[in-house]
Amino acid sequence: PIHFSRQLISLFTMVQNPNMTHLKINELVVLPPLWIRCDGSDPEHTCWLGAEPLKAGNKITGINFYMVTCDGPTADKTCFANLEELKMAHKMKHHSSVVMTKGFAQYELIRAAAIEDTIVESESNIYVDITWNTVDKILETPPLISAATLNITLESGDPRSPALAEGLKTGVTEWPEPLESESAVELVQEFLTDLKKKLDGYCVSGSSNETEKIKCDTAAVDSSIKSIFGERGDLDFAEQLWCKMRSKCVSSYQELLECFTLVIKSLEHGEIQPWIHQGSSSLLSKLIQQSYHGKIEVVSLSGVTPIQMLLEIGLDKMKKDYVSFFIVKSGNCLLFQGYFISTSVDLHEQVHRVQKLHHMLEIMVSCTVLLQFKHENLFPLTQICMKYYKENPLNEKHVFQLPIRPALVKKFYQNDHPEIWKVDISSGHGQKEVKTTWQVSSNPPVEHMTSNNTG
């Protein structure tokens, strides 16, 4: 109850007041802030009272008091306060003649910009926070000269990429059911036969139809946004092999074993001389490089070795796909490129870093498709994401913040209601500053006073 809360605040203040000598407190201690949840039974519906000590060094110099009241929910805008009335109430309470006003509005952009067939996870959100000085009326749309910040939280849509790595860690992998009659082994055999016929040192897939079958798996994105990915035309042998095995979905450990056995035998017998990218550290790439000199080491395809080989060539391809995407889309030369595509760390860490690239890519895709961002906006966003992910583990709940001009996203919010709208009325400066805030929000602002009425 409010009367008991006020007593607590009063006692809290008294025991820290150096002028209360009659209390005979030997040593004054600056207490932590006190916040009291109130039951809202008073006419103002007070939900919080707060007191925060101000100190200089170890000495207390004053206390800030807070009073939070809450009404609603309501759909009746006529019951909202008038801005001039709010200013007058502030002046009377704090005996001030000059007041300043500052506005804040938060808009949800994903809902406003949602496109057909695009599935947006409930955990994913793109909000814009806008602040401006000098408010003219309650619930006004922010002026274009405001300061705006984009807040982006996105969960990756499909966690397929780390599945094999988990299998290596746990020793257990669920093999998917085969979807087509033609096996991955048959497809790999056709691929090798095709290469044998064209022993010219440069391996391109046999026919134009075959080339079309190799779809760039830059990321597991929704079909409605795949159009923004350009397919890489420089797939080497290992990458093409990955695509063949992936397109027919290797359905068992035995099938995986047979695929790599076919490849290694062809290399040993000198039947193929495939081309591979420089810089790859996968076991298969090493065997291919050795085959150029006519002798390759004996590899025992037992245990997790075939799974590790598959994971290595898949990781190599995905890294190149991601790098290609970031360079094309954001013009970013990847300041931290070495970190994200490093092969000097173990496979689990490589997978973890590719997951980070995947998360960054989904953020770029969302901003490109939903918000129609161009290079000049994608470039700084890429820098922000890369800096964060060079220093932190994968975190799909992290809010990435990008300062922008409101005009960039105005079309998505100008006809929409804000999620939060507030005005700060303030007077005084420094420790003497006092502030009155009036706010409306689409969600209950205090959890302990939720209402059944969702009007």
Side-chain angles (χ1 to χ4, degrees):
I2 190 73
H3 65 277
F4 185 61
S5 301
R6 284 184 180 136
Q7 286 176 355
L8 270 178
I9 293 275
S10 179
L11 290 168
F12 174 86
T13 306
M14 202 183 297
V15 297
Q16 294 178 93
N17 191 337
N19 299 314
M20 294 285 172
T21 51
H22 64 283
L23 294 177
K24 297 180 181 172
I25 298 173
N26 294 330
E27 189 178 347
L28 287 175
V29 177
V30 181
L31 297 173
L34 172 67
W35 283 90
I36 306 166
R37 293 208 294 193
C38 306
D39 63 8
S41 59
D42 56 307
E44 285 81 28
H45 307 299
T46 304
C47 51
W48 286 100
L49 282 186
E52 292 190 348
L54 302 168
K55 59 181 182 177
N58 292 325
K59 291 197 171 178
I60 186 164
T61 57
I63 291 185
N64 267 347
F65 294 106
Y66 300 86
M67 178 181 181
V68 184
T69 64
C70 179
D71 281 325
T74 180
D76 180 13
K77 288 184 185 176
T78 60
C79 70
F80 287 173
N82 175 288
L83 183 60
E84 291 309 313
E85 290 172 0
L86 287 173
K87 286 183 184 177
M88 193 57 64
H90 177 92
K91 287 178 180 179
M92 287 173 64
K93 186 170 186 177
H94 300 295
H95 314 293
S96 53
S97 56
V98 179
V99 296
M100 292 177 292
T101 55
K102 187 170 188 175
F104 171 88
Q106 182 181 84
Y107 293 91
E108 183 185 347
L109 299 185
I110 276 192
R111 184 184 60 202
I115 58 173
E116 191 179 354
D117 296 331
T118 298
I119 299 169
V120 179
E121 293 293 325
S122 58
E123 293 295 321
S124 300
N125 277 307
I126 300 180
Y127 288 100
V128 62
D129 287 350
I130 308 174
T131 57
W132 68 100
N133 292 319
T134 313
V135 178
D136 293 323
K137 63 178 182 178
I138 293 294
L139 286 176
E140 71 181 9
T141 302
L144 289 178
I145 56 167
S146 307
T149 302
L150 211 58
N151 298 290
I152 305 166
T153 312
L154 284 178
E155 286 199 344
S156 294
D158 191 332
R160 276 183 291 184
S161 53
L164 274 179
E166 287 301 309
L168 279 182
K169 199 184 297 178
T170 62
V172 179
T173 295
E174 292 288 332
W175 293 96
E177 291 295 319
L179 299 174
E180 299 184 42
S181 56
E182 188 180 22
S183 71
V185 178
E186 291 168 347
L187 200 64
V188 169
Q189 182 63 71
E190 288 171 18
F191 179 45
L192 295 173
T193 304
D194 193 40
L195 292 181
K196 286 174 195 173
K197 292 175 185 174
K198 302 181 168 124
L199 235 178
D200 58 4
Y202 183 79
C203 289
V204 187
S205 194
S207 64
S208 60
N209 286 341
E210 278 299 307
T211 308
E212 284 168 19
K213 283 182 189 174
I214 298 177
K215 294 296 180 186
C216 180
D217 58 348
T218 307
V221 293
D222 192 86
S223 59
S224 65
I225 53 178
K226 278 186 180 171
S227 58
I228 73 165
F229 296 102
E231 289 191 23
R232 281 176 48 227
D234 62 341
L235 301 185
D236 68 6
F237 172 80
E239 290 176 308
Q240 291 186 56
L241 181 66
W242 162 265
C243 291
K244 298 284 184 186
M245 293 165 78
R246 184 179 174 278
S247 67
K248 289 302 173 190
C249 194
V250 175
S251 58
S252 68
Y253 176 82
Q254 186 58 36
E255 197 170 38
L256 183 62
L257 192 64
E258 288 176 31
C259 286
F260 281 123
T261 302
L262 281 173
V263 172
I264 291 174
K265 279 186 177 173
S266 295
L267 289 171
E268 284 175 338
H269 298 155
E271 295 169 344
I272 56 172
Q273 289 182 358
W275 165 76
I276 54 166
H277 286 295
Q278 281 188 321
S280 171
S281 65
S282 70
L283 176 56
L284 183 61
S285 294
K286 286 176 184 171
L287 295 177
I288 291 170
Q289 286 169 334
Q290 290 169 4
S291 75
Y292 297 158
H293 306 290
K295 186 173 175 65
I296 69 171
E297 66 182 275
V298 177
V299 174
S300 172
L301 290 177
S302 60
V304 297
T305 302
I307 295 175
Q308 187 159 334
M309 289 174 71
L310 182 66
L311 181 60
E312 284 175 346
I313 64 174
L315 273 173
D316 264 0
K317 180 181 184 302
M318 291 182 79
K319 286 176 191 174
K320 291 187 182 76
D321 287 342
Y322 284 122
V323 168
S324 172
F325 171 84
F326 283 115
I327 289 175
V328 170
K329 271 290 160 196
S330 67
N332 200 312
C333 59
L334 283 180
L335 284 181
F336 305 126
Q337 180 174 326
Y339 168 84
F340 288 107
I341 64 174
S342 170
T343 55
S344 62
V345 292
D346 65 36
L347 274 180
H348 297 304
E349 178 59 24
Q350 287 184 47
V351 170
H352 187 67
R353 293 182 187 186
V354 166
Q355 284 180 278
K356 291 179 178 182
L357 283 173
H358 180 87
H359 190 217
M360 293 193 303
L361 177 135
E362 293 224 16
I363 290 170
M364 299 303 135
V365 167
S366 296
C367 289
T368 303
V369 175
L370 297 176
L371 303 181
Q372 291 138 43
F373 271 19
K374 300 289 186 276
H375 162 260
E376 61 268 24
N377 309 113
L378 292 175
F379 181 79
L381 181 57
T382 307
Q383 301 292 77
I384 289 166
C385 293
M386 285 184 175
K387 184 175 189 313
Y388 175 80
Y389 269 145
K390 194 189 175 190
E391 300 165 357
N392 299 281
L394 179 71
N395 177 11
E396 295 189 354
K397 294 194 172 10
H398 179 72
V399 181
F400 291 96
Q401 294 190 306
L402 175 70
I404 58 167
R405 290 175 293 104
L408 189 64
V409 292
K410 185 173 187 248
K411 63 183 174 184
F412 300 119
Y413 70 76
Q414 61 186 351
N415 297 319
D416 202 15
H417 293 299
E419 298 297 303
I420 298 173
W421 191 98
K422 73 176 179 181
V423 57
D424 288 333
I425 301 165
S426 59
S427 56
H429 298 284
Q431 287 199 353
K432 303 260 185 200
E433 184 186 29
V434 286
K435 188 186 291 182
T436 300
T437 298
W438 185 89
Q439 172 178 307
V440 283
S441 63
S442 58
N443 292 309
V446 285
E447 61 182 27
H448 65 282
M449 285 179 65
T450 53
S451 165
N452 292 328
N453 174 18
T454 57

